[in-house]
Structures are given as structure tokens and as C-alpha cells.
Amino acid sequence: MYNPFSLDGKVILVTGASSGIGRGIAIECSKMGAKIILCARDLKRLTETYNLLEGQHHIIMQADLSRQSDIENLVKDLPSINGIVHCAGILEIIPVKYINSNVFDKIFNINTLAPILLTAQTVKLRKLLSNSSIVFISSISGISIANVGEAVYSASKGAISGFVKAAALELANRNIRVNSINPYQVPSNLLNKFTEVFTEVNMESTLEKIPLKRVGKPEDIAYGAIYLLSNASSWVTGSNLVIDGGFTLL
Amino acid sequence: MELNDFVKKIAAEFDETPVEKFSASVKFKDLEEWGSLTALSIISMIDEEFDKKITGEDLRSCGTIEELYNLVLAK
């Protein structure tokens, strides 16, 4: 059957695959025929994701991406791949005047440094085949909008937006495409962190701000990732795909 | 940290409300300036000063500054 969005035969590395958007992307990509390499710290939850995948020959590679040595070992052991989806991320809510280097390092290490180093290593060791695609799961925070307490988080995602453009330009020579997806809030452990602090945030007031009148699902983001990983987006690089139910229109 | 100092710390998290308005018996959430940013600032201040994590729910359960002080000490 004609399907330009098929991932049949493609090997895709998904970080942060143990929960939330990462898990959703791993599952949906497997349904499109991809062989998934699942990466995260938590082996138990990775195995849960593994058991939800369709098809065969998926692999679990446990790594703590906040450690440079783990990134290096992971890439060394990687087979040749056709794509990466950088989903691992953290959110810490902290007002501007309480920002310190500890919290800055914690957020930037996972959200910014880890995906950039992982990309660099895979390029250096030539693990990405020609016509590969790298997808960063970023955020509309720091690119289109801002939230109170998210200054460092926004900065970490804004940095990714800049990296995507320069890397897209540089890697075009190797026919490797680099794009990002900027989602609005999708229920996940990350979002729980937000509602832990802002208990007054309730579903009704959130829905009023979303023209399409529902919160996002991991699948909504996954379908965007499938497009960017597939041959359907062969001529798309350096772009930010906003998936937000229309939130940024208001 | 003594209760009086705690009151001063809480007062410092409010940018517009005059410091004289603050005392241990003040219901801080009734202040006009109360909002998500002050809530967040108080959570961060308590984390930095006491090395203790309180949640939005904890704040919600307290009326006066003294109640919050006791909650923090009990953590």
C-alpha cells in the first residue's frame, strides 16, 4: 500500500522512552514499522514500554544521559540508525531570583547538553545513515510563550531551537535532517511537576486557552515525529513544528 | 530560624505589599498581591533557607504565616 509516512525498516533511537511523550513516540513508530532502540535510565519502565511495542527486533539500551560517559558508551554500542528522537527532558519550576548554578546545570544537562552531545557523538562515529532524521522534542515554552517559574526551562529549550537550525545547515551535506517539535502541555510526569506547584491550575481554565478544546496526547506529538522521521519529510530541515491545539494562536 | 525572621522572609517575597502589613497572624493568601508567582517564590525560599520541599497543596492547607512556619518545621 502507498504510504510515504512508513517507517518500515528504519532503526530509530528514542531517548526518554520510559514515559510520557517518549513512550508514545516509541509505540507509534513501532506501529509504523520502525525498529526502536529504547533509551532511558529506568530499566523497569523501559521494559514496560518495550512490552507495548509492535513488531520485533526492538532493543533496550539503558543509559543516564546526564553522564557524558553514558552517552559515549551508548553511541559506541549503537548499530547504524536512521533517526533519533530526543525526548528525555526535565522541568524544574523556579522563579528568576532563586536561580542558581545547581538548578541551571540540572536542567541544561538533561534538556540541552545531553541531546546535543548525543547528536555530536552519533555524527562523529557515523552512526547515522544517509537520509537520516534527528528530531528534538522541544517546547513552545522559550520559543513562542513563557510561563512563570520556567525561565531556565525556557532557556534550555530556546537553546535547542538555535542548535537545530545550525545543525540542520551543517548536516545537510550528509543528507541528515534536523528538526524540532514544539508541543504544548501533554499530560506527563513533567506536567505533574508543574501542577504540584500550581495547584490552582485546573483543567477547565486550561481548556479555555486551547482552541481545539482538549489537552494533547503523546500520540499527537508522535504523529509529528513520524512525519519528520519518514521519507515524507525528505525536504524538511531546520524547522520547528508547533503541535499545541492552537494554544499559541490566542 | 525564629518565627519573626520567617515573617520577614515571607514579607520579602511580596514586592508591593508593605512590610509593616506582615505579622505571624496574617493570612498571607488573603493579601491582594497573592498569586502564582508569590506562591512559587515562597516554595523556593523555603527550599533554599530550610532545604525542605513544600508543595502548592501545603500552601493551600495553611491560613496564617505562623501555620506555614509550623508546617515547615514539622517537615
Side-chain angles (χ1 to χ4, degrees), chain A residues 10 82-84 119 128-136 164 167-169 171-172 174-180 225-239:
Chain A
K10 288 186 190 287
N82 304 92
I84 308 176
T119 301
L128 286 157
L129 296 162
S130 183
N131 199 23
S132 287
S133 168
I134 305 174
V135 181
F136 288 80
V164 162
L169 180 64
L171 299 181
R174 289 202 196 176
N175 200 18
I176 296 170
R177 300 178 293 105
V178 187
N179 295 283
S180 73
I226 287 169
Y227 165 64
L228 290 172
L229 292 167
S230 73
N231 295 342
S233 61
S234 293
W235 209 49
V236 179
T237 195
S239 74

PDB file of all heavy atoms in Angstrom, chain A residues 10 82-84 119 128-136 164 167-169 171-172 174-180 225-239:
ATOM      1  N   LYS A  10      13.259   1.192   9.191  1.00  0.00           N
ATOM      2  CA  LYS A  10      14.106   2.233   9.781  1.00  0.00           C
ATOM      3  C   LYS A  10      14.414   1.896  11.241  1.00  0.00           C
ATOM      4  O   LYS A  10      13.552   1.396  11.967  1.00  0.00           O
ATOM      5  CB  LYS A  10      13.412   3.604   9.714  1.00  0.00           C
ATOM      6  CG  LYS A  10      13.338   4.188   8.298  1.00  0.00           C
ATOM      7  CD  LYS A  10      12.780   5.609   8.343  1.00  0.00           C
ATOM      8  CE  LYS A  10      12.444   6.159   6.958  1.00  0.00           C
ATOM      9  NZ  LYS A  10      13.617   6.496   6.153  1.00  0.00           N
ATOM     10  N   ASN A  82      18.690   5.210  11.523  1.00  0.00           N
ATOM     11  CA  ASN A  82      18.082   6.110  10.536  1.00  0.00           C
ATOM     12  C   ASN A  82      17.466   7.346  11.183  1.00  0.00           C
ATOM     13  O   ASN A  82      16.973   8.230  10.481  1.00  0.00           O
ATOM     14  CB  ASN A  82      16.976   5.401   9.762  1.00  0.00           C
ATOM     15  CG  ASN A  82      17.462   4.148   9.096  1.00  0.00           C
ATOM     16  OD1 ASN A  82      17.371   3.060   9.676  1.00  0.00           O
ATOM     17  ND2 ASN A  82      18.005   4.286   7.901  1.00  0.00           N
ATOM     18  N   GLY A  83      17.471   7.357  12.507  1.00  0.00           N
ATOM     19  CA  GLY A  83      16.861   8.519  13.145  1.00  0.00           C
ATOM     20  C   GLY A  83      17.022   8.510  14.646  1.00  0.00           C
ATOM     21  O   GLY A  83      17.273   7.471  15.260  1.00  0.00           O
ATOM     22  N   ILE A  84      16.919   9.707  15.227  1.00  0.00           N
ATOM     23  CA  ILE A  84      16.928   9.866  16.683  1.00  0.00           C
ATOM     24  C   ILE A  84      15.751  10.754  17.047  1.00  0.00           C
ATOM     25  O   ILE A  84      15.486  11.744  16.360  1.00  0.00           O
ATOM     26  CB  ILE A  84      18.199  10.597  17.190  1.00  0.00           C
ATOM     27  CG1 ILE A  84      19.481   9.953  16.660  1.00  0.00           C
ATOM     28  CG2 ILE A  84      18.221  10.653  18.722  1.00  0.00           C
ATOM     29  CD1 ILE A  84      20.744  10.722  17.063  1.00  0.00           C
ATOM     30  N   THR A 119      23.837  13.892  19.785  1.00  0.00           N
ATOM     31  CA  THR A 119      23.848  14.163  18.348  1.00  0.00           C
ATOM     32  C   THR A 119      25.289  14.229  17.836  1.00  0.00           C
ATOM     33  O   THR A 119      25.629  13.608  16.817  1.00  0.00           O
ATOM     34  CB  THR A 119      23.131  15.514  18.063  1.00  0.00           C
ATOM     35  OG1 THR A 119      21.790  15.426  18.541  1.00  0.00           O
ATOM     36  CG2 THR A 119      23.127  15.834  16.575  1.00  0.00           C
ATOM     37  N   LEU A 128      24.735   7.589  12.002  1.00  0.00           N
ATOM     38  CA  LEU A 128      23.526   7.974  11.269  1.00  0.00           C
ATOM     39  C   LEU A 128      23.732   7.720   9.779  1.00  0.00           C
ATOM     40  O   LEU A 128      24.668   8.239   9.174  1.00  0.00           O
ATOM     41  CB  LEU A 128      23.218   9.461  11.499  1.00  0.00           C
ATOM     42  CG  LEU A 128      22.652   9.817  12.872  1.00  0.00           C
ATOM     43  CD1 LEU A 128      22.904  11.285  13.187  1.00  0.00           C
ATOM     44  CD2 LEU A 128      21.156   9.524  12.941  1.00  0.00           C
ATOM     45  N   LEU A 129      22.854   6.924   9.219  1.00  0.00           N
ATOM     46  CA  LEU A 129      22.946   6.617   7.791  1.00  0.00           C
ATOM     47  C   LEU A 129      22.507   7.831   6.974  1.00  0.00           C
ATOM     48  O   LEU A 129      21.880   8.760   7.493  1.00  0.00           O
ATOM     49  CB  LEU A 129      22.051   5.414   7.469  1.00  0.00           C
ATOM     50  CG  LEU A 129      22.486   4.116   8.163  1.00  0.00           C
ATOM     51  CD1 LEU A 129      21.352   3.104   8.162  1.00  0.00           C
ATOM     52  CD2 LEU A 129      23.715   3.530   7.472  1.00  0.00           C
ATOM     53  N   SER A 130      22.823   7.816   5.678  1.00  0.00           N
ATOM     54  CA  SER A 130      22.362   8.899   4.814  1.00  0.00           C
ATOM     55  C   SER A 130      20.831   8.897   4.801  1.00  0.00           C
ATOM     56  O   SER A 130      20.200   7.852   4.941  1.00  0.00           O
ATOM     57  CB  SER A 130      22.897   8.692   3.399  1.00  0.00           C
ATOM     58  OG  SER A 130      22.495   9.774   2.591  1.00  0.00           O
ATOM     59  N   ASN A 131      20.247  10.085   4.647  1.00  0.00           N
ATOM     60  CA  ASN A 131      18.793  10.242   4.686  1.00  0.00           C
ATOM     61  C   ASN A 131      18.228   9.984   6.081  1.00  0.00           C
ATOM     62  O   ASN A 131      17.091   9.557   6.238  1.00  0.00           O
ATOM     63  CB  ASN A 131      18.112   9.340   3.652  1.00  0.00           C
ATOM     64  CG  ASN A 131      16.699   9.807   3.356  1.00  0.00           C
ATOM     65  OD1 ASN A 131      16.383  10.974   3.574  1.00  0.00           O
ATOM     66  ND2 ASN A 131      15.854   8.903   2.895  1.00  0.00           N
ATOM     67  N   SER A 132      19.054  10.247   7.110  1.00  0.00           N
ATOM     68  CA  SER A 132      18.569  10.121   8.491  1.00  0.00           C
ATOM     69  C   SER A 132      17.844  11.388   8.916  1.00  0.00           C
ATOM     70  O   SER A 132      17.944  12.426   8.265  1.00  0.00           O
ATOM     71  CB  SER A 132      19.745   9.913   9.454  1.00  0.00           C
ATOM     72  OG  SER A 132      20.265   8.628   9.324  1.00  0.00           O
ATOM     73  N   SER A 133      17.142  11.253  10.053  1.00  0.00           N
ATOM     74  CA  SER A 133      16.395  12.397  10.576  1.00  0.00           C
ATOM     75  C   SER A 133      16.569  12.477  12.083  1.00  0.00           C
ATOM     76  O   SER A 133      16.424  11.475  12.783  1.00  0.00           O
ATOM     77  CB  SER A 133      14.914  12.219  10.224  1.00  0.00           C
ATOM     78  OG  SER A 133      14.127  13.136  10.934  1.00  0.00           O
ATOM     79  N   ILE A 134      16.902  13.666  12.573  1.00  0.00           N
ATOM     80  CA  ILE A 134      17.026  13.873  14.022  1.00  0.00           C
ATOM     81  C   ILE A 134      15.892  14.792  14.457  1.00  0.00           C
ATOM     82  O   ILE A 134      15.690  15.855  13.857  1.00  0.00           O
ATOM     83  CB  ILE A 134      18.383  14.517  14.374  1.00  0.00           C
ATOM     84  CG1 ILE A 134      19.534  13.682  13.813  1.00  0.00           C
ATOM     85  CG2 ILE A 134      18.521  14.685  15.890  1.00  0.00           C
ATOM     86  CD1 ILE A 134      20.907  14.326  13.993  1.00  0.00           C
ATOM     87  N   VAL A 135      15.152  14.366  15.468  1.00  0.00           N
ATOM     88  CA  VAL A 135      14.008  15.148  15.939  1.00  0.00           C
ATOM     89  C   VAL A 135      14.208  15.499  17.413  1.00  0.00           C
ATOM     90  O   VAL A 135      14.434  14.618  18.238  1.00  0.00           O
ATOM     91  CB  VAL A 135      12.684  14.362  15.775  1.00  0.00           C
ATOM     92  CG1 VAL A 135      11.508  15.200  16.253  1.00  0.00           C
ATOM     93  CG2 VAL A 135      12.491  13.929  14.327  1.00  0.00           C
ATOM     94  N   PHE A 136      14.159  16.776  17.711  1.00  0.00           N
ATOM     95  CA  PHE A 136      14.235  17.226  19.098  1.00  0.00           C
ATOM     96  C   PHE A 136      12.824  17.535  19.583  1.00  0.00           C
ATOM     97  O   PHE A 136      12.111  18.301  18.943  1.00  0.00           O
ATOM     98  CB  PHE A 136      15.070  18.514  19.211  1.00  0.00           C
ATOM     99  CG  PHE A 136      16.540  18.306  19.008  1.00  0.00           C
ATOM    100  CD1 PHE A 136      17.074  18.196  17.731  1.00  0.00           C
ATOM    101  CD2 PHE A 136      17.395  18.217  20.093  1.00  0.00           C
ATOM    102  CE1 PHE A 136      18.434  18.001  17.544  1.00  0.00           C
ATOM    103  CE2 PHE A 136      18.756  18.032  19.910  1.00  0.00           C
ATOM    104  CZ  PHE A 136      19.282  17.919  18.634  1.00  0.00           C
ATOM    105  N   VAL A 164      19.176  23.463  16.515  1.00  0.00           N
ATOM    106  CA  VAL A 164      18.512  22.763  15.400  1.00  0.00           C
ATOM    107  C   VAL A 164      18.812  23.449  14.074  1.00  0.00           C
ATOM    108  O   VAL A 164      19.123  22.791  13.083  1.00  0.00           O
ATOM    109  CB  VAL A 164      16.982  22.679  15.660  1.00  0.00           C
ATOM    110  CG1 VAL A 164      16.219  22.365  14.383  1.00  0.00           C
ATOM    111  CG2 VAL A 164      16.696  21.627  16.714  1.00  0.00           C
ATOM    112  N   ALA A 167      22.664  23.018  13.214  1.00  0.00           N
ATOM    113  CA  ALA A 167      22.970  21.610  12.922  1.00  0.00           C
ATOM    114  C   ALA A 167      22.321  21.189  11.610  1.00  0.00           C
ATOM    115  O   ALA A 167      22.914  20.426  10.823  1.00  0.00           O
ATOM    116  CB  ALA A 167      22.498  20.722  14.067  1.00  0.00           C
ATOM    117  N   ALA A 168      21.123  21.680  11.348  1.00  0.00           N
ATOM    118  CA  ALA A 168      20.431  21.345  10.099  1.00  0.00           C
ATOM    119  C   ALA A 168      21.269  21.789   8.906  1.00  0.00           C
ATOM    120  O   ALA A 168      21.420  21.067   7.915  1.00  0.00           O
ATOM    121  CB  ALA A 168      19.060  22.007  10.062  1.00  0.00           C
ATOM    122  N   LEU A 169      21.816  22.983   9.028  1.00  0.00           N
ATOM    123  CA  LEU A 169      22.640  23.527   7.945  1.00  0.00           C
ATOM    124  C   LEU A 169      23.895  22.677   7.756  1.00  0.00           C
ATOM    125  O   LEU A 169      24.240  22.285   6.639  1.00  0.00           O
ATOM    126  CB  LEU A 169      23.007  24.976   8.295  1.00  0.00           C
ATOM    127  CG  LEU A 169      23.865  25.717   7.277  1.00  0.00           C
ATOM    128  CD1 LEU A 169      23.108  25.879   5.957  1.00  0.00           C
ATOM    129  CD2 LEU A 169      24.261  27.087   7.825  1.00  0.00           C
ATOM    130  N   LEU A 171      24.608  19.569   8.788  1.00  0.00           N
ATOM    131  CA  LEU A 171      24.453  18.142   8.488  1.00  0.00           C
ATOM    132  C   LEU A 171      23.752  17.885   7.153  1.00  0.00           C
ATOM    133  O   LEU A 171      23.629  16.733   6.727  1.00  0.00           O
ATOM    134  CB  LEU A 171      23.713  17.435   9.631  1.00  0.00           C
ATOM    135  CG  LEU A 171      24.437  17.515  10.990  1.00  0.00           C
ATOM    136  CD1 LEU A 171      23.655  16.764  12.060  1.00  0.00           C
ATOM    137  CD2 LEU A 171      25.855  16.956  10.891  1.00  0.00           C
ATOM    138  N   ALA A 172      23.298  18.959   6.517  1.00  0.00           N
ATOM    139  CA  ALA A 172      22.643  18.799   5.207  1.00  0.00           C
ATOM    140  C   ALA A 172      23.595  18.142   4.208  1.00  0.00           C
ATOM    141  O   ALA A 172      23.170  17.375   3.337  1.00  0.00           O
ATOM    142  CB  ALA A 172      22.169  20.156   4.682  1.00  0.00           C
ATOM    143  N   ARG A 174      25.507  15.746   4.685  1.00  0.00           N
ATOM    144  CA  ARG A 174      25.440  14.283   4.827  1.00  0.00           C
ATOM    145  C   ARG A 174      24.018  13.764   4.588  1.00  0.00           C
ATOM    146  O   ARG A 174      23.723  12.602   4.874  1.00  0.00           O
ATOM    147  CB  ARG A 174      25.854  13.871   6.238  1.00  0.00           C
ATOM    148  CG  ARG A 174      27.321  14.045   6.530  1.00  0.00           C
ATOM    149  CD  ARG A 174      27.680  13.137   7.688  1.00  0.00           C
ATOM    150  NE  ARG A 174      28.951  13.495   8.280  1.00  0.00           N
ATOM    151  CZ  ARG A 174      29.448  12.891   9.361  1.00  0.00           C
ATOM    152  NH1 ARG A 174      28.758  11.949   9.969  1.00  0.00           N
ATOM    153  NH2 ARG A 174      30.611  13.246   9.830  1.00  0.00           N
ATOM    154  N   ASN A 175      23.148  14.666   4.165  1.00  0.00           N
ATOM    155  CA  ASN A 175      21.743  14.329   3.981  1.00  0.00           C
ATOM    156  C   ASN A 175      21.106  13.842   5.281  1.00  0.00           C
ATOM    157  O   ASN A 175      20.334  12.886   5.303  1.00  0.00           O
ATOM    158  CB  ASN A 175      21.569  13.289   2.863  1.00  0.00           C
ATOM    159  CG  ASN A 175      20.155  13.276   2.323  1.00  0.00           C
ATOM    160  OD1 ASN A 175      19.404  14.229   2.532  1.00  0.00           O
ATOM    161  ND2 ASN A 175      19.776  12.201   1.657  1.00  0.00           N
ATOM    162  N   ILE A 176      21.501  14.499   6.377  1.00  0.00           N
ATOM    163  CA  ILE A 176      20.857  14.242   7.675  1.00  0.00           C
ATOM    164  C   ILE A 176      20.010  15.469   7.994  1.00  0.00           C
ATOM    165  O   ILE A 176      20.506  16.594   7.955  1.00  0.00           O
ATOM    166  CB  ILE A 176      21.909  14.026   8.789  1.00  0.00           C
ATOM    167  CG1 ILE A 176      22.735  12.771   8.496  1.00  0.00           C
ATOM    168  CG2 ILE A 176      21.217  13.921  10.158  1.00  0.00           C
ATOM    169  CD1 ILE A 176      23.953  12.609   9.401  1.00  0.00           C
ATOM    170  N   ARG A 177      18.750  15.238   8.272  1.00  0.00           N
ATOM    171  CA  ARG A 177      17.835  16.346   8.550  1.00  0.00           C
ATOM    172  C   ARG A 177      17.666  16.532  10.059  1.00  0.00           C
ATOM    173  O   ARG A 177      17.716  15.567  10.814  1.00  0.00           O
ATOM    174  CB  ARG A 177      16.477  16.091   7.896  1.00  0.00           C
ATOM    175  CG  ARG A 177      16.582  15.949   6.384  1.00  0.00           C
ATOM    176  CD  ARG A 177      15.279  15.649   5.707  1.00  0.00           C
ATOM    177  NE  ARG A 177      14.745  14.339   6.046  1.00  0.00           N
ATOM    178  CZ  ARG A 177      13.724  14.137   6.868  1.00  0.00           C
ATOM    179  NH1 ARG A 177      13.099  15.157   7.439  1.00  0.00           N
ATOM    180  NH2 ARG A 177      13.298  12.918   7.122  1.00  0.00           N
ATOM    181  N   VAL A 178      17.508  17.794  10.463  1.00  0.00           N
ATOM    182  CA  VAL A 178      17.377  18.100  11.895  1.00  0.00           C
ATOM    183  C   VAL A 178      16.193  19.036  12.088  1.00  0.00           C
ATOM    184  O   VAL A 178      16.152  20.124  11.504  1.00  0.00           O
ATOM    185  CB  VAL A 178      18.656  18.786  12.449  1.00  0.00           C
ATOM    186  CG1 VAL A 178      18.571  18.928  13.966  1.00  0.00           C
ATOM    187  CG2 VAL A 178      19.910  18.022  12.048  1.00  0.00           C
ATOM    188  N   ASN A 179      15.220  18.598  12.876  1.00  0.00           N
ATOM    189  CA  ASN A 179      14.017  19.404  13.113  1.00  0.00           C
ATOM    190  C   ASN A 179      13.606  19.295  14.566  1.00  0.00           C
ATOM    191  O   ASN A 179      14.067  18.410  15.286  1.00  0.00           O
ATOM    192  CB  ASN A 179      12.863  18.900  12.229  1.00  0.00           C
ATOM    193  CG  ASN A 179      13.135  19.082  10.748  1.00  0.00           C
ATOM    194  OD1 ASN A 179      13.028  20.181  10.217  1.00  0.00           O
ATOM    195  ND2 ASN A 179      13.520  17.994  10.068  1.00  0.00           N
ATOM    196  N   SER A 180      12.715  20.198  14.974  1.00  0.00           N
ATOM    197  CA  SER A 180      12.184  20.054  16.333  1.00  0.00           C
ATOM    198  C   SER A 180      10.666  20.114  16.315  1.00  0.00           C
ATOM    199  O   SER A 180      10.055  20.638  15.384  1.00  0.00           O
ATOM    200  CB  SER A 180      12.749  21.134  17.263  1.00  0.00           C
ATOM    201  OG  SER A 180      12.173  22.375  16.975  1.00  0.00           O
ATOM    202  N   ALA A 225       6.311  13.362  14.952  1.00  0.00           N
ATOM    203  CA  ALA A 225       7.638  12.731  14.899  1.00  0.00           C
ATOM    204  C   ALA A 225       7.701  11.739  13.735  1.00  0.00           C
ATOM    205  O   ALA A 225       8.714  11.662  13.022  1.00  0.00           O
ATOM    206  CB  ALA A 225       7.944  12.038  16.216  1.00  0.00           C
ATOM    207  N   ILE A 226       6.622  10.992  13.532  1.00  0.00           N
ATOM    208  CA  ILE A 226       6.588  10.016  12.426  1.00  0.00           C
ATOM    209  C   ILE A 226       6.797  10.738  11.091  1.00  0.00           C
ATOM    210  O   ILE A 226       7.601  10.319  10.261  1.00  0.00           O
ATOM    211  CB  ILE A 226       5.246   9.242  12.423  1.00  0.00           C
ATOM    212  CG1 ILE A 226       5.232   8.253  13.595  1.00  0.00           C
ATOM    213  CG2 ILE A 226       5.024   8.523  11.093  1.00  0.00           C
ATOM    214  CD1 ILE A 226       3.881   7.621  13.856  1.00  0.00           C
ATOM    215  N   TYR A 227       6.097  11.849  10.918  1.00  0.00           N
ATOM    216  CA  TYR A 227       6.265  12.645   9.691  1.00  0.00           C
ATOM    217  C   TYR A 227       7.734  13.049   9.514  1.00  0.00           C
ATOM    218  O   TYR A 227       8.312  12.872   8.442  1.00  0.00           O
ATOM    219  CB  TYR A 227       5.365  13.881   9.750  1.00  0.00           C
ATOM    220  CG  TYR A 227       5.711  14.941   8.729  1.00  0.00           C
ATOM    221  CD1 TYR A 227       5.585  14.690   7.363  1.00  0.00           C
ATOM    222  CD2 TYR A 227       6.171  16.201   9.130  1.00  0.00           C
ATOM    223  CE1 TYR A 227       5.914  15.658   6.425  1.00  0.00           C
ATOM    224  CE2 TYR A 227       6.503  17.169   8.209  1.00  0.00           C
ATOM    225  CZ  TYR A 227       6.385  16.893   6.855  1.00  0.00           C
ATOM    226  OH  TYR A 227       6.722  17.853   5.938  1.00  0.00           O
ATOM    227  N   LEU A 228       8.329  13.588  10.595  1.00  0.00           N
ATOM    228  CA  LEU A 228       9.700  14.104  10.476  1.00  0.00           C
ATOM    229  C   LEU A 228      10.738  12.988  10.317  1.00  0.00           C
ATOM    230  O   LEU A 228      11.835  13.223   9.814  1.00  0.00           O
ATOM    231  CB  LEU A 228      10.037  14.980  11.683  1.00  0.00           C
ATOM    232  CG  LEU A 228       9.289  16.330  11.718  1.00  0.00           C
ATOM    233  CD1 LEU A 228       9.529  17.049  13.045  1.00  0.00           C
ATOM    234  CD2 LEU A 228       9.689  17.224  10.546  1.00  0.00           C
ATOM    235  N   LEU A 229      10.392  11.768  10.756  1.00  0.00           N
ATOM    236  CA  LEU A 229      11.313  10.639  10.605  1.00  0.00           C
ATOM    237  C   LEU A 229      11.161   9.961   9.240  1.00  0.00           C
ATOM    238  O   LEU A 229      12.066   9.284   8.764  1.00  0.00           O
ATOM    239  CB  LEU A 229      11.057   9.597  11.707  1.00  0.00           C
ATOM    240  CG  LEU A 229      11.416  10.005  13.142  1.00  0.00           C
ATOM    241  CD1 LEU A 229      10.816   9.016  14.140  1.00  0.00           C
ATOM    242  CD2 LEU A 229      12.929  10.082  13.325  1.00  0.00           C
ATOM    243  N   SER A 230       9.998  10.125   8.646  1.00  0.00           N
ATOM    244  CA  SER A 230       9.694   9.377   7.418  1.00  0.00           C
ATOM    245  C   SER A 230      10.238  10.078   6.179  1.00  0.00           C
ATOM    246  O   SER A 230      10.659  11.238   6.236  1.00  0.00           O
ATOM    247  CB  SER A 230       8.175   9.221   7.269  1.00  0.00           C
ATOM    248  OG  SER A 230       7.604  10.476   6.898  1.00  0.00           O
ATOM    249  N   ASN A 231      10.174   9.376   5.054  1.00  0.00           N
ATOM    250  CA  ASN A 231      10.636   9.966   3.798  1.00  0.00           C
ATOM    251  C   ASN A 231       9.692  11.066   3.313  1.00  0.00           C
ATOM    252  O   ASN A 231      10.032  11.820   2.405  1.00  0.00           O
ATOM    253  CB  ASN A 231      10.768   8.884   2.725  1.00  0.00           C
ATOM    254  CG  ASN A 231      11.854   7.879   3.100  1.00  0.00           C
ATOM    255  OD1 ASN A 231      12.705   8.169   3.945  1.00  0.00           O
ATOM    256  ND2 ASN A 231      11.820   6.700   2.488  1.00  0.00           N
ATOM    257  N   ALA A 232       8.512  11.163   3.921  1.00  0.00           N
ATOM    258  CA  ALA A 232       7.565  12.212   3.536  1.00  0.00           C
ATOM    259  C   ALA A 232       8.146  13.603   3.795  1.00  0.00           C
ATOM    260  O   ALA A 232       7.761  14.576   3.162  1.00  0.00           O
ATOM    261  CB  ALA A 232       6.250  12.046   4.298  1.00  0.00           C
ATOM    262  N   SER A 233       9.078  13.683   4.748  1.00  0.00           N
ATOM    263  CA  SER A 233       9.654  14.995   5.079  1.00  0.00           C
ATOM    264  C   SER A 233      11.082  15.139   4.541  1.00  0.00           C
ATOM    265  O   SER A 233      11.878  15.903   5.091  1.00  0.00           O
ATOM    266  CB  SER A 233       9.644  15.211   6.593  1.00  0.00           C
ATOM    267  OG  SER A 233      10.423  14.210   7.233  1.00  0.00           O
ATOM    268  N   SER A 234      11.373  14.431   3.456  1.00  0.00           N
ATOM    269  CA  SER A 234      12.734  14.421   2.894  1.00  0.00           C
ATOM    270  C   SER A 234      13.302  15.807   2.592  1.00  0.00           C
ATOM    271  O   SER A 234      14.512  15.982   2.525  1.00  0.00           O
ATOM    272  CB  SER A 234      12.766  13.638   1.575  1.00  0.00           C
ATOM    273  OG  SER A 234      12.517  12.306   1.821  1.00  0.00           O
ATOM    274  N   TRP A 235      12.406  16.780   2.380  1.00  0.00           N
ATOM    275  CA  TRP A 235      12.873  18.121   2.006  1.00  0.00           C
ATOM    276  C   TRP A 235      12.631  19.123   3.132  1.00  0.00           C
ATOM    277  O   TRP A 235      12.535  20.312   2.927  1.00  0.00           O
ATOM    278  CB  TRP A 235      12.172  18.560   0.708  1.00  0.00           C
ATOM    279  CG  TRP A 235      13.007  19.497  -0.107  1.00  0.00           C
ATOM    280  CD1 TRP A 235      14.312  19.344  -0.451  1.00  0.00           C
ATOM    281  CD2 TRP A 235      12.601  20.755  -0.663  1.00  0.00           C
ATOM    282  NE1 TRP A 235      14.754  20.420  -1.182  1.00  0.00           N
ATOM    283  CE2 TRP A 235      13.715  21.289  -1.333  1.00  0.00           C
ATOM    284  CE3 TRP A 235      11.399  21.470  -0.659  1.00  0.00           C
ATOM    285  CZ2 TRP A 235      13.675  22.527  -2.003  1.00  0.00           C
ATOM    286  CZ3 TRP A 235      11.351  22.683  -1.332  1.00  0.00           C
ATOM    287  CH2 TRP A 235      12.477  23.204  -2.000  1.00  0.00           C
ATOM    288  N   VAL A 236      12.499  18.596   4.361  1.00  0.00           N
ATOM    289  CA  VAL A 236      12.210  19.449   5.525  1.00  0.00           C
ATOM    290  C   VAL A 236      13.376  19.373   6.495  1.00  0.00           C
ATOM    291  O   VAL A 236      13.691  18.295   7.016  1.00  0.00           O
ATOM    292  CB  VAL A 236      10.920  18.978   6.242  1.00  0.00           C
ATOM    293  CG1 VAL A 236      10.644  19.852   7.466  1.00  0.00           C
ATOM    294  CG2 VAL A 236       9.735  19.003   5.282  1.00  0.00           C
ATOM    295  N   THR A 237      14.042  20.495   6.715  1.00  0.00           N
ATOM    296  CA  THR A 237      15.100  20.509   7.728  1.00  0.00           C
ATOM    297  C   THR A 237      15.203  21.894   8.355  1.00  0.00           C
ATOM    298  O   THR A 237      14.879  22.899   7.712  1.00  0.00           O
ATOM    299  CB  THR A 237      16.456  20.043   7.139  1.00  0.00           C
ATOM    300  OG1 THR A 237      17.347  19.737   8.226  1.00  0.00           O
ATOM    301  CG2 THR A 237      17.092  21.093   6.237  1.00  0.00           C
ATOM    302  N   GLY A 238      15.595  21.921   9.635  1.00  0.00           N
ATOM    303  CA  GLY A 238      15.734  23.189  10.365  1.00  0.00           C
ATOM    304  C   GLY A 238      14.410  23.792  10.787  1.00  0.00           C
ATOM    305  O   GLY A 238      14.342  24.962  11.159  1.00  0.00           O
ATOM    306  N   SER A 239      13.350  22.995  10.775  1.00  0.00           N
ATOM    307  CA  SER A 239      12.034  23.569  11.087  1.00  0.00           C
ATOM    308  C   SER A 239      11.603  23.274  12.523  1.00  0.00           C
ATOM    309  O   SER A 239      12.068  22.328  13.149  1.00  0.00           O
ATOM    310  CB  SER A 239      10.988  23.031  10.110  1.00  0.00           C
ATOM    311  OG  SER A 239      10.690  21.698  10.418  1.00  0.00           O
TER     312      SER A 239
END
